[in-house]
């Protein structure tokens, strides 16, 4: 592992509780060889890193990092479905209309957004609207194209 870190390109990965790394390493230990190899394979490395990022589910990390509660997420998901305040209150078994506003305000603050529409759009991009994580199981055409360039 130290060899990868000291003279290679390393992408740490964690998915479904499994930790791993993807790396590019030149066994000669010569930085010039490593740099030449990196330049030759730059497109593949960048495409692979991009693909791995897109396949990864970062939503759990984002939820923890931003301190969002289960109730915050439930209100956000119901709001994203287009439910009105009264309908959301019925679903979450609450009476006070301010409850929905308070949850949305916390989410806006956490995501750095100004209004509900912007909040829903950012939450969708971050994968926060899915109740169960969805993972891509196919390699995209960009990765195939990059691999063919070799």
């Amino acid at each position: 592992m130290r060899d990868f870190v000291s003279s290679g390109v390393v992408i740490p990965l964690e998915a479904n509780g499994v930790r791993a790394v993807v790396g590019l390493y030149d066994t000669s230990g010569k930085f010039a060889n490593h740099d030449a190899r990196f330049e030759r394979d730059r497109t593949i490395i960048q495409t692979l890193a991009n693909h791995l990022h897109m396949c990864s589910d970062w939503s759990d990390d984002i939820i923890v990092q931003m301190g969002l509660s289960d109730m915050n997420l439930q209100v956000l998901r119901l709001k994203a479905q287009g439910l009105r305040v009264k309908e959301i209150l019925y679903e979450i078994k609450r009476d006070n209309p301010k409850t929905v506003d308070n949850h949305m305000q916390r989410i806006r603050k956490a995501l750095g957004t100004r209004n509900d529409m912007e909040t829903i759009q950012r939450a969708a991009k971050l994968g926060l609207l899915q109740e169960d994580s969805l993972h891509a199981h196919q390699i995209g055409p960009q990765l195939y194209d990059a691999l063919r360039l070799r």
Side-chain angles (χ1 to χ4, degrees), residues 11-36:
I11 304 167
L13 304 171
E14 183 176 349
N16 301 324
V18 177
R19 291 179 179 208
V21 294
V22 173
L24 171 66
Y25 174 68
D26 189 280
T27 54
S28 71
K30 296 179 182 175
F31 290 112
N33 290 354
H34 168 269
D35 292 346

Side-chain angles (χ1 to χ4, degrees), residues 57-60 62-63 66 68 72-81 104 107-108 110-113 115-131:
D57 177 16
W58 304 103
S59 60
D60 290 342
I62 292 167
I63 291 166
M66 295 187 175
L68 298 175
N72 292 152
L73 294 171
Q74 185 179 2
V75 168
L76 173 65
R77 289 171 182 147
L78 293 169
K79 191 81 164 168
Q81 291 172 17
M104 289 305 296
I107 297 164
R108 279 193 300 274
L111 298 181
T113 55
N115 57 51
D116 288 350
M117 184 59 76
E118 190 178 325
T119 303
I120 290 167
Q121 288 173 344
R122 174 131 341 129
K125 286 180 183 176
L126 295 172
L128 300 179
L129 298 182
Q130 303 165 5
E131 300 224 17

Side-chain angles (χ1 to χ4, degrees), residues 43-108:
T43 305
I44 295 168
I45 295 165
Q46 289 174 333
T47 305
L48 179 60
N50 214 11
H51 179 71
L52 292 170
H53 174 71
M54 296 306 287
C55 289
S56 298
D57 177 16
W58 304 103
S59 60
D60 290 342
D61 295 331
I62 292 167
I63 291 166
V64 170
Q65 227 175 28
M66 295 187 175
L68 298 175
S69 69
D70 289 340
M71 184 62 78
N72 292 152
L73 294 171
Q74 185 179 2
V75 168
L76 173 65
R77 289 171 182 147
L78 293 169
K79 191 81 164 168
Q81 291 172 17
L83 272 65
R84 296 173 191 240
V85 172
K86 287 183 181 182
E87 295 168 318
I88 295 172
L89 289 171
Y90 176 79
E91 290 291 325
I92 64 172
K93 298 173 179 55
R94 298 287 195 277
D95 295 328
N96 188 346
K98 278 291 197 186
T99 302
V100 173
D101 291 336
N102 290 338
H103 283 289
M104 289 305 296
Q105 185 177 7
R106 282 188 207 116
I107 297 164
R108 279 193 300 274

